[in-house]
Amino acid sequence: MLFSATDLPAQAAPENHLSLDGQITADGQSVTLSWFDTQSPRVGSVVVNRRILGQLGAETWRPITPPLSQAMRFTDNTTQPGVAYEYKVVRSDRDIIDVGYWATGVGVPAVQERGRAYLVVDETVAIPLRAHLDRFERDLIGDGWQVTRILAPRDDSSAPAENLRKAASLRQAITMQFAMDQEGTHAVVLVGHVPVVTSGRAQPDGHDARAHPTDLFYGNIDGRWRINTEGQLLDHRLPSDFIELQVGRIDFANVSGSDPDREVHLLRAYFDKNHHWRQGMLGDLRNAYGSDGWLTAEIYGLRNIVGADAVVTGGHHDVGEDRPWLWGVDFGDWQGSNYAQSYENKSVFAINFGSHKQIFNAPSNPMTALLAQRWYTLAVGWGARPAWWLHHMALGGTIGDVHMRTVNNGHAEQPYRETMDYFPTGQYLWRNPIWVNLLGDPTTRAFMLAPPRQLAAQSDDQGVQLRWTAPLDPDVQGYRVYRARVGSQDYELISGDTPVTAMEFRDTAPMLQAQYMVRAYGLKDVYAGTFHTLSQGAFAQGDTLLTTATGIDISGPKDIPLALPQEFTAPVKGIIRAFIAGPDQGRLDFDGNQWVFSPPADFVGQIDLPFSVSNALQTDRAILTINITE
């Protein structure tokens, strides 16, 4: 039995996953789907369904073919440019039922306004994280989000009834904010050890039934969660089938060894790599790796994102450490402490499947430990049970889109298939379970466009002159300029619908106390098609002069660890200096007090470490040059 004796057991899924590939023509008027590498490709009857990418509900799927006998491909000649499509292909023959999904489109419009993000911060880390939280909030605003910040009490698992009361109060605060503005996408970002609630008695990993931690509690607005006399939540699936808000947790309390300084360091390091990704400093990655037969749906989703040829067979602890990866899907190490001591995984997004890992608040949890990897990992989920539908990131969607689609899949009390957006959901028929948690920032996405740099604003008798430096990004086609009053998040587009191609713009009718934002505009050509996108915003307020980050030179003798400048340890007067990546040679470590570089044995020469410098408005990059001498 999967659940308690009062609940129905899980049933084995009758379907299998269908391996799809897709190609869309450059004009967007034709899409060809094929399944040549599926076992026995030419069998059975095939029905192709289609809907607009983003539609929700099984009833939105529309068959666009009659049953096709023994087909291995299908071409849809009814598509149009500027529209993102989602396909479902169902193949059946006696006891064979295979189902596959594909997202595609050409010239898909850019998303300018993304919705509202609730930045929920553990009050015990709010002060030491102030500079990083301010920058993260600015990053969200510069990506098109409206931001509401909420201070939250810290989790206390030693007093579960009181902890649940705190969580319920926090949920009510989020609900009240949501009630004031329900339009568009809503995302909750939990920062620090925000109260963790547990619910139900389930065994999705096949081990003993137990209560599971669930952050879906904060995203499920209208559900009535059952509670017993001991103050324990009883639901093993969402009480109202859906979450209305995306939810992600950035919390390193369980991997910091009860050391508050270590916890703050890990949180700062997370927001540094998050900022670097958003700024395009970690590259435009087009590769992925995957292994393990449990994760077939996720690996097929990777093919939609980067193409089958760019998906390498391997795991977190072999190929995942070789070079940076956009995605990694694997049954990783079960021992979380090994991630800190032995591994340096380099996947930006990851699935970390395996027994017990879904208990994300357990000490040294491997999912949290993977999120704590340096330089790259921004989001981690526990896949396979149920399967995560990764193809929603193929055209610039967020990991929060993927997570929400995985959670909001079907109606638990209604007939299977008739209400499912996606199936099979893995080995069993999972619907709306409470253990589907996302670790990391739900607003992050693939295929970032680098923003303009060194934005300056200067007033004169003709208005305000803005100038900036172009990013080194070949996909940039122009820029959009926005303006808001200082302190407001309501940025108005003032440069018109046509992107500015010059690296300057004059506001001839400026307002008092204005703040400006410039975003690069470009076209991403990815495996699934093409889509327009906007970069993070670069900001200028008042008369902001052009500034550049300054490099740093230091020296030290060979074979001796070298302590790096203290300004890399913590923000100084609101300015954050953060390393972007580790060295090509030697090792960079944080010893609890400062960063230390250990050169290779007998090495004499120069090591360059790129770093970012973030002030109150914008970011630049420079090089720390380490000269190792005899």
Side-chain angles (χ1 to χ4, degrees):
M1 291 251 317
L2 174 66
F3 302 122
S4 66
T6 59
D7 297 305
L8 292 174
Q11 303 173 17
E15 306 91 1
N16 297 305
H17 299 288
L18 181 67
S19 173
L20 289 182
D21 195 6
Q23 298 293 327
I24 188 168
T25 56
D27 60 8
Q29 296 185 0
S30 177
V31 173
T32 297
L33 302 173
S34 61
W35 43 97
F36 292 111
D37 63 346
T38 295
Q39 184 178 5
S40 304
R42 192 187 293 275
V43 299
S45 177
V46 174
V47 175
V48 180
N49 301 267
R50 192 185 77 186
R51 65 182 178 184
I52 302 300
L53 183 64
Q55 288 184 314
L56 178 66
E59 69 281 359
T60 61
W61 289 111
R62 294 288 184 268
I64 59 172
T65 66
L68 307 173
S69 178
Q70 298 187 350
M72 293 188 295
R73 73 169 73 187
F74 169 75
T75 298
D76 179 7
N77 292 314
T78 66
T79 57
Q80 298 294 325
V83 180
Y85 297 97
E86 185 179 17
Y87 290 89
K88 176 174 71 173
V89 179
V90 182
R91 185 180 72 158
S92 58
D93 181 38
R94 298 179 184 175
D95 59 345
I96 295 176
I97 305 175
D98 297 329
V99 190
Y101 300 88
W102 195 263
T104 188
V106 159
V108 178
V111 178
Q112 181 167 284
E113 297 178 357
R114 293 193 172 271
R116 179 164 294 276
Y118 305 89
L119 184 53
V120 181
V121 182
D122 168 1
E123 61 189 3
T124 68
V125 300
I127 292 177
L129 284 181
R130 179 181 295 162
H132 286 77
L133 291 172
D134 289 347
R135 185 184 62 183
F136 180 60
E137 181 173 317
R138 188 173 71 248
D139 282 343
L140 292 172
I141 294 169
D143 194 28
W145 296 90
Q146 297 280 307
V147 182
T148 298
R149 199 182 298 199
I150 300 173
L151 209 58
R154 188 171 177 85
D155 177 85
D156 183 5
S157 58
S158 67
E162 175 63 15
N163 204 53
L164 180 58
R165 186 196 66 76
K166 292 178 182 178
S169 178
L170 176 57
R171 178 174 180 251
Q172 181 62 26
I174 296 171
T175 300
M176 290 174 62
Q177 292 290 331
F178 175 77
M180 292 187 289
D181 174 21
Q182 300 184 30
E183 296 300 317
T185 301
H186 293 254
V188 178
V189 187
L190 305 173
V191 178
H193 204 32
V194 174
V196 179
V197 302
T198 60
S199 187
R201 298 287 296 175
Q203 51 181 122
D205 56 0
H207 295 277
D208 293 341
R210 78 207 99 164
H212 277 68
T214 178
D215 284 336
L216 304 185
F217 180 78
Y218 295 116
N220 180 232
I221 294 298
D222 58 0
R224 297 176 62 87
W225 293 71
R226 295 178 296 152
I227 186 171
N228 64 15
T229 55
E230 286 76 36
Q232 299 168 329
L233 295 178
L234 302 176
D235 296 281
H236 56 255
R237 57 195 182 199
L238 288 174
S240 61
D241 291 326
F242 300 123
I243 56 173
E244 290 81 14
L245 292 79
Q246 300 175 3
V247 185
R249 174 178 289 265
I250 306 163
D251 180 1
F252 300 110
N254 60 332
V255 296
S256 57
S258 300
D259 180 348
D261 292 335
R262 171 70 176 166
E263 181 182 351
V264 167
H265 167 73
L266 290 173
L267 287 166
R268 286 173 175 164
Y270 177 87
F271 285 114
D272 287 338
K273 63 186 179 182
N274 184 293
H275 183 67
H276 295 153
W277 177 252
R278 290 172 175 274
Q279 293 285 316
M281 293 181 176
L282 300 183
D284 186 359
L285 303 178
R286 305 294 182 95
N287 56 0
Y289 63 84
S291 69
D292 194 85
W294 298 106
L295 297 163
T296 302
E298 289 84 353
I299 292 173
Y300 285 174
L302 297 179
R303 296 182 179 192
N304 198 170
I305 297 171
V306 299
D309 291 343
V311 180
V312 173
T313 300
H316 295 320
H317 316 310
D318 42 55
V319 300
E321 300 181 64
D322 290 345
R323 60 184 183 274
W325 301 87
L326 180 62
W327 259 101
V329 169
D330 183 30
F331 195 124
D333 195 330
W334 65 273
Q335 182 126 4
S337 59
N338 287 341
Y339 290 79
Q341 299 169 1
S342 306
Y343 304 135
E344 193 164 296
N345 180 270
K346 298 176 182 177
S347 60
V348 176
F349 302 97
I351 294 292
N352 198 5
F353 184 53
S355 295
H356 310 296
K357 292 181 183 179
Q358 76 279 13
I359 311 296
F360 68 76
N361 60 333
S364 297
N365 173 263
M367 284 175 57
T368 309
L370 183 56
L371 189 73
Q373 294 281 278
R374 299 184 299 179
W375 320 127
Y376 290 98
T377 311
L378 298 181
V380 182
W382 191 73
R385 299 182 180 183
W388 284 50
W389 304 103
L390 305 185
H391 65 280
H392 286 276
M393 293 183 74
L395 291 169
T398 68
I399 186 64
D401 296 330
V402 168
H403 178 240
M404 179 171 264
R405 285 300 181 138
T406 301
V407 174
N408 294 348
N409 188 19
H411 297 267
E413 303 298 338
Q414 297 183 21
Y416 176 65
R417 284 205 200 159
E418 294 178 21
T419 63
M420 300 292 287
D421 277 283
Y422 307 102
F423 57 85
T425 60
Q427 185 180 7
Y428 301 105
L429 309 181
W430 312 100
R431 289 191 279 182
N432 319 119
I434 51 88
W435 60 82
V436 186
N437 295 289
L438 174 67
L439 302 188
D441 171 13
T443 71
T444 49
R445 50 195 168 88
F447 313 123
M448 300 302 292
L449 189 70
R453 299 167 50 236
Q454 302 166 343
L455 175 63
Q458 196 69 42
S459 299
D460 56 31
D461 56 4
Q462 299 179 43
V464 175
Q465 181 69 42
L466 301 173
R467 292 187 174 90
W468 56 88
T469 302
L472 298 176
D473 191 322
D475 296 324
V476 172
Q477 298 177 325
Y479 305 90
R480 288 183 173 174
V481 182
Y482 304 80
R483 183 184 63 196
R485 292 194 181 277
V486 172
S488 172
Q489 298 182 18
D490 295 322
Y491 279 86
E492 172 193 7
L493 178 65
I494 61 173
S495 58
D497 294 334
T498 302
V500 175
T501 55
M503 262 66 76
E504 61 181 10
F505 178 82
R506 180 176 292 278
D507 181 6
T508 57
M511 65 170 63
L512 293 175
Q513 296 184 322
Q515 182 166 281
Y516 294 93
M517 177 174 70
V518 179
R519 303 179 70 180
Y521 175 87
L523 183 72
K524 287 291 180 180
D525 188 345
V526 299
Y527 193 79
T530 63
F531 67 96
H532 296 282
T533 189
L534 290 161
S535 75
Q536 290 288 144
F539 295 86
Q541 180 175 315
D543 286 347
T544 304
L545 298 178
L546 181 67
T547 58
T548 57
T550 303
I552 301 173
D553 290 344
I554 62 173
S555 300
K558 72 173 185 177
D559 298 329
I560 297 178
L562 178 64
L564 302 185
Q566 198 66 33
E567 55 257 46
F568 289 98
T569 301
V572 178
K573 296 182 179 179
I575 296 177
I576 303 170
R577 291 176 175 84
F579 294 112
I580 298 171
D584 293 332
Q585 302 180 74
R587 183 170 177 83
L588 186 63
D589 294 291
F590 189 77
D591 68 1
N593 296 305
Q594 61 192 131
W595 287 98
V596 176
F597 173 69
S598 301
D602 295 322
F603 176 83
V604 174
Q606 177 177 306
I607 299 289
D608 290 335
L609 285 176
F611 68 92
S612 65
V613 180
S614 304
N615 61 22
L617 293 174
Q618 50 189 277
T619 296
D620 202 2
R621 62 185 296 164
I623 298 292
L624 171 67
T625 299
I626 304 174
N627 296 292
I628 304 299
T629 61
E630 288 285 357

